[in-house]
Amino acid sequence: MSRTNDPNLKSWVEVPPGSDFPIQNLPFGIFKTPGLTPRLCTAIGDYVADLQVLAEHGFFDDLGIDPRVFARPFLNDFIALGKAKTGAVRSRLSEILDDNLEDWDASQLADYFLHRQSEVQMLLPVRVGDYTDFYSSREHATNVGTMFRSKENALMPNWLHLPVGYHGRASSIIVSGTPVRRPKGQQMPDGAEKPVFGPSRLLDFELEMAFVIGRETALGQSVDIADAEDYIFGLCLFNDWSARDIQKWEYVPLGPFLGKSFASTISPWIVTLDALEPFRTEGPKQDPNPLPYLQTKGPGSFDIQLEVEIRPEAGEGKVVCQSNFKHLYWSMAQQLAHHTVNGCNIRVGDMMASGTISGPTPDSYGSMLELSWRGTTPIAMPDGSERRFLLDGDTAILRGWCEKEGLRVGFGEASGKVLPAE
Ligand code: MN
């Protein structure tokens, strides 16, 4: 276990109980304020720490990094330095914020580089080049297959042999807090003879996580599954907003298109694989055994608790789903090995989402489609209203965190409010 994971570390910055951002997390993000241009930061307790200012004060001088990399509006150039360098920065941040290490004590400079999270604007952390969405939850694929085909043929014949996925739209990936306009499109209502055009009536969230590619490959090169995690910089929360009526009419034969591409919301913090290491765990047992290029040794999943809250415009919110990343059948390493096995190249900042993460119980389903079972079992809200799908004014809030023996490492939120169609 690396120094940064030591559960006994404490910061001189106050970290409230239950915070997602203890000194053991130190995720990376981008923030700005009315007076400060976009720049790199980490999170500690209720604060962000400005990496550009720390670089200007020489805290990273011995790490052999161009200090201008901390003043960029995206993390891409920083991530591209490689894990040896980015890990060294994280390790230095751990020293800077540690209340026991006086060599690197920056507490005298706190006023210069710490800002309350409530007083800064978090920006999209990564310029996403390509975005892929997998479909790696067996429970989700089974639920959807049962609804749209039959219980017996819920999983397609390929599903247990490869991580199914599709290429998504990167331009509409947005950061938490950005409102989402209800999309319009073609739909074929049940029993109708002709398609209609209008606002989607079946707007949904999908509870997912995504990993960010940290190292590029050349065209023609495949990532060996044993090395796959070297290519993964970190993870964030991911809401793959879905318009079920548009999706249902358009998706045969080529798959998701306009029912998905109008928006995907991510959390502003990229949590490194290093920070997640204490929470590594086995995924589900795989039967049949996958082909050799998809076979892994050792635990390839992480115990990340996930939840989704729906908060009406004027009313109390309700947590409608509690799930866990560890339910995913296919691991990130398997997804990446499969993605590149044909020679498809990957680039720093590419984003690969997990697919909806549903668990085994009805309260762990990761979409309204499943929670309300196509609208047949509505969810009761605290204000007495019901939800089959999302209404205008609703905010969907995804949260994720790991917790073990008093250590909590979290992702913050991926939140988005539904605005009425224009
Ligand atoms: Mn999805």
Side-chain angles (χ1 to χ4, degrees), residues 209-268:
M209 296 200 72
F211 63 87
V212 177
I213 294 297
R215 185 175 159 189
E216 66 173 24
T217 60
L219 185 64
Q221 185 190 344
S222 301
V223 174
D224 189 289
I225 191 155
D227 306 326
E229 288 189 0
D230 296 344
Y231 291 79
I232 299 173
F233 176 73
L235 280 76
C236 60
L237 300 166
F238 192 101
N239 180 356
D240 180 22
W241 298 90
S242 299
R244 298 301 179 193
D245 34 15
I246 298 171
Q247 182 184 358
K248 188 180 171 207
W249 171 231
E250 74 178 358
Y251 86 106
V252 178
L254 284 185
F257 191 35
L258 304 186
K260 298 281 191 174
S261 61
F262 57 95
S264 309
T265 299
I266 65 170
S267 51

Side-chain angles (χ1 to χ4, degrees), residues 281-308:
T281 188
E282 299 276 357
K285 186 175 160 33
Q286 295 189 319
D287 181 21
N289 208 15
L291 286 164
Y293 81 95
L294 290 172
Q295 289 175 11
T296 41
K297 292 195 184 69
S301 194
F302 295 91
D303 184 358
I304 306 172
Q305 300 179 55
L306 299 166
E307 69 176 30
V308 183

Side-chain angles (χ1 to χ4, degrees), residues 131 133-135 140 166 206 208 238 240 242 260 353 355-356:
Y131 150 51
D133 194 25
F134 284 96
Y135 190 59
H140 173 68
Y166 72 96
E206 288 192 339
E208 307 197 14
F238 192 101
D240 180 22
S242 299
K260 298 281 191 174
T356 306

Side-chain angles (χ1 to χ4, degrees), residues 239-350:
N239 180 356
D240 180 22
W241 298 90
S242 299
R244 298 301 179 193
D245 34 15
I246 298 171
Q247 182 184 358
K248 188 180 171 207
W249 171 231
E250 74 178 358
Y251 86 106
V252 178
L254 284 185
F257 191 35
L258 304 186
K260 298 281 191 174
S261 61
F262 57 95
S264 309
T265 299
I266 65 170
S267 51
W269 298 107
I270 310 297
V271 176
T272 63
L273 279 194
D274 276 352
L276 296 174
E277 196 53 45
F279 309 98
R280 187 178 281 280
T281 188
E282 299 276 357
K285 186 175 160 33
Q286 295 189 319
D287 181 21
N289 208 15
L291 286 164
Y293 81 95
L294 290 172
Q295 289 175 11
T296 41
K297 292 195 184 69
S301 194
F302 295 91
D303 184 358
I304 306 172
Q305 300 179 55
L306 299 166
E307 69 176 30
V308 183
E309 177 181 342
I310 296 177
R311 194 180 294 159
E313 176 98 69
E316 201 184 321
K318 177 172 180 170
V319 172
V320 295
C321 157
Q322 289 178 295
S323 187
N324 196 302
F325 184 80
K326 71 182 178 186
H327 296 315
L328 288 169
Y329 187 85
W330 296 103
S331 70
M332 293 185 286
Q334 288 176 318
Q335 291 169 340
L336 189 52
H338 184 66
H339 202 302
T340 58
V341 75
N342 66 347
C344 171
N345 51 327
I346 53 172
R347 291 178 293 203
V348 170
D350 286 354

Side-chain angles (χ1 to χ4, degrees), residues 134-155:
F134 284 96
Y135 190 59
S136 288
S137 156
R138 183 174 188 162
E139 290 80 3
H140 173 68
T142 302
N143 288 339
V144 174
T146 302
M147 272 182 251
F148 292 100
R149 287 184 296 276
S150 67
K151 200 156 187 141
E152 296 69 42
N153 298 309
L155 289 184

